[in-house]
């Protein structure tokens, strides 16, 4: 201290500090006004930047007021330098926190715009946030006069020990980075693993991937396992896909008529039902002469994986109703049992097969033990 403090010094310092606080309030109100205008734009980046500035700008005004107040006081050179370094370090920390928020927000915004969903891969967000915060802390320590060279060396040696102790965690971390970098799976995709788990990918973080199945439950899958297993991605190369429905008609049906009616029903379902693809080119392919009917496959188009259940539901209902209107039969498998008597042996035998709903029998006058034998044959046939 070069001289004693007087009232004038305190007044000037107080005015400077108060001026910094008032400037902080004014700047905060200005940032709030800018935030309202930024929310009206289509780009989400300006909202993130204004939100970060809403934090750093008022604090910067307060720090500036404190610096002016400190310069107004008759401090010694050592104390003055310490105050300046401390205020600078505080400002660096505040700027680092704001920069980390801006960078993380921009990364999340870019990831969301590329995947087309609200949720994004938080692994990139967390990595960028940690990198920015680490750099800011090192700069703040250097500003305070703390040598960071020994610290960096110690972190390098300690990092090796930590890497050996956290092999599984680091494996999941790099597996998640590999999955996202290769673009085989992105948040919003519908996947199915060979082990049976399936659903929409909600997030891929530093350790695991979160999958939401159709029952709205979350399945947690380690990134390492997701990278090693075989999977089917129903959202790539595009979300639209074709599904197959198996149908059968009786042998007495006119197949040309069946094909025409079926295609008409498919076109109406594609145009009317949500999730259908109106420009889908339907196809009917007959492929099997079965025991009681001719089987064929119908192809339907759906917008994305979960739409197939609604499309199948509506298609089967409408096709069944249309077949009944057109008189096209969809036969169920049937069998007929024919009972005959062996004239030489006087015994009753069963010829043919079983019909659960209908039975055709050759008329015969049952006598004595032949009636018991016929009952046994009939019971065996029905079983």
């Amino acid at each position: 201290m070069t001289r004693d403090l007087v009232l004038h010094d305190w007044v000037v310092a107080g005015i400077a500090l108060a001026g910094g606080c008032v400037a902080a309030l004014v700047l905060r109100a200005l940032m709030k006004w800018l935030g309202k205008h930024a929310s009206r734009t289509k780009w989400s980046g300006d909202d993130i930047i204004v939100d970060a500035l809403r934090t750093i700008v008022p604090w910067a005004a307060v720090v500036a007021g404190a610096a002016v107040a400190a310069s107004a006081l008759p401090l010694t050179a050592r104390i003055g330098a310490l105050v300046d370094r401390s205020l600078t370090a505080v400002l660096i920390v505040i700027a680092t926190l704001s920069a980390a928020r801006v960078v993380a927000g921009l990364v999340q915004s870019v990831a969301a715009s590329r995947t087309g969903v609200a949720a994004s891969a938080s692994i990139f967000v967390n990595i960028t946030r940690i990198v920015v915060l680490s750099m800011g802390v090192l700069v703040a320590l250097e500003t305070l006069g703390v040598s960071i060279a020994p610290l960096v060396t110690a972190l390098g040696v300690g990092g090796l020990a930590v890497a050996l102790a956290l092999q599984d965690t680091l494996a999941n971390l790099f597996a998640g980075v590999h999955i996202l970098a290769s673009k085989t799976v992105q948040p919003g995709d519908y996947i199915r693993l060979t082990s049976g788990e399936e659903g929409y990918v909600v997030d891929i973080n530093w350790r695991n991937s979160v999958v939401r199945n159709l029952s709205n439950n979350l399945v947690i899958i380690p990134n390492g396992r997701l990278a090693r297993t075989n999977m089917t991605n129903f959202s790539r190369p595009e979300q639209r896909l074709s599904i197959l429905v198996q149908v059968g008609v009786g042998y007495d049906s006119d197949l040309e008529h069946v094909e025409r009616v079926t295609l008409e029903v498919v076109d109406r379902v594609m145009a009317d039902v949500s999730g259908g693809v109106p420009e889908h080119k339907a196809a009917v392919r007959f492929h099997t002469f079965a025991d009681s009917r001719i089987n064929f496959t119908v192809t339907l188009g759906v917008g994305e994986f979960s739409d197939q259940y609604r499309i199948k539901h509506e298609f089967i209902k409408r096709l069944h109703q249309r077949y009944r209107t057109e008189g096209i039969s969809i036969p169920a498998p049937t069998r007929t049992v024919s009972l005959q008597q062996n004239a030489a042996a006087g015994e009753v035998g069963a010829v043919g097969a079983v019909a659960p709903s209908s039975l055709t029998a050759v008329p015969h006058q049952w006598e004595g033990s032949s009636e018991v034998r016929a009952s046994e044959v009939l019971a065996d046939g029905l079983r």
Side-chain angles (χ1 to χ4, degrees), residues 238-243 270 274-278 280 299-312:
E238 60 179 0
Q239 285 192 329
R240 291 184 178 182
L241 58 121
S242 298
I243 59 175
M270 293 293 98
S274 174
V277 182
H280 171 73
T299 62
L300 304 173
V302 296
E304 57 104 9
F305 185 85
S306 61
D307 293 332
Q308 63 176 304
Y309 304 104
R310 180 171 56 255
I311 296 296
K312 283 184 179 180

Side-chain angles (χ1 to χ4, degrees), residues 10-346:
W10 290 110
V11 171
V12 173
I15 292 175
L17 189 60
C21 294
V22 171
L25 294 177
V26 173
L27 290 174
R28 185 174 181 81
L30 179 61
M31 292 296 106
K32 186 176 181 180
W33 177 79
L34 288 177
K36 292 181 179 180
H37 286 273
S39 62
R40 301 174 184 174
T41 61
K42 295 181 179 180
W43 185 48
S44 59
D46 53 358
D47 299 290
I48 299 171
I49 295 174
V50 171
D51 184 64
L53 291 177
R54 189 181 300 176
T55 301
I56 185 174
V57 170
W59 280 106
V62 173
V63 171
V68 174
S71 63
L73 297 176
L75 303 177
T76 61
R78 181 180 178 182
I79 296 177
L82 179 62
V83 171
D84 289 340
R85 288 198 298 266
S86 300
L87 293 176
T88 304
V90 170
L91 188 60
I92 290 174
V93 171
I94 295 173
T96 301
L97 293 175
S98 301
R101 182 183 302 178
V102 171
V103 174
L106 292 177
V107 170
Q108 185 173 7
S109 176
V110 171
S113 63
R114 291 192 174 184
T115 57
V117 292
S120 64
S122 61
I123 182 171
F124 287 149
V125 177
N126 293 332
I127 289 176
T128 53
R129 183 182 289 115
I130 291 173
V131 170
V132 173
L133 290 176
S134 300
M135 294 176 61
V137 170
L138 292 177
V139 172
L141 291 176
E142 186 70 22
T143 303
L144 291 175
V146 178
S147 179
I148 62 174
L151 179 61
V152 172
T153 304
L155 289 177
V157 176
L160 179 61
V162 171
L164 294 176
L166 301 177
Q167 293 184 24
D168 293 339
T169 302
L170 293 177
N172 289 323
L173 172 63
F174 289 109
V177 175
H178 169 71
I179 290 172
L180 292 173
S182 62
K183 297 183 179 180
T184 55
V185 177
Q186 295 290 325
D189 292 351
Y190 192 96
I191 63 173
R192 177 185 293 163
L193 307 185
T194 53
S195 55
E197 296 89 350
E198 63 178 271
Y200 291 98
V201 179
V202 177
D203 188 21
I204 301 177
N205 54 43
W206 61 276
R207 188 179 185 277
N208 51 52
S209 301
V210 183
V211 176
R212 177 175 55 84
N213 56 28
L214 295 180
S215 60
N216 208 29
N217 295 321
L218 296 180
V219 181
I220 311 301
I221 306 173
N223 292 332
R225 179 187 169 194
L226 187 65
R228 291 191 303 268
T229 188
N230 296 332
M231 76 176 75
T232 302
N233 192 334
F234 293 95
S235 300
R236 297 184 181 275
E238 60 179 0
Q239 285 192 329
R240 291 184 178 182
L241 58 121
S242 298
I243 59 175
L244 307 179
V245 178
Q246 304 298 326
V247 189
V249 295
Y251 277 93
D252 57 346
S253 302
D254 182 357
L255 297 187
E256 294 292 339
H257 183 220
V258 170
E259 183 176 5
R260 183 174 61 256
V261 169
T262 304
L263 291 177
E264 291 177 359
V265 174
V266 172
D267 292 339
R268 294 308 307 169
V269 170
M270 293 293 98
D272 298 342
V273 182
S274 174
V277 182
E279 60 272 17
H280 171 73
K281 295 182 179 179
V284 174
R285 297 292 180 263
F286 297 95
H287 56 76
T288 305
F289 287 101
D291 292 339
S292 58
R293 58 184 181 176
I294 298 176
N295 294 329
F296 59 94
T297 301
V298 183
T299 62
L300 304 173
V302 296
E304 57 104 9
F305 185 85
S306 61
D307 293 332
Q308 63 176 304
Y309 304 104
R310 180 171 56 255
I311 296 296
K312 283 184 179 180
H313 171 76
E314 289 295 331
F315 172 70
I316 292 175
K317 284 201 310 181
R318 297 190 184 193
L319 187 65
H320 181 260
Q321 182 180 4
R322 183 68 184 276
Y323 277 5
R324 293 183 62 182
T325 303
E326 299 289 338
I328 300 173
S329 63
I330 306 178
T334 60
R335 293 184 179 181
T336 303
V337 174
S338 179
L339 298 179
Q340 298 178 353
Q341 183 181 17
N342 191 323

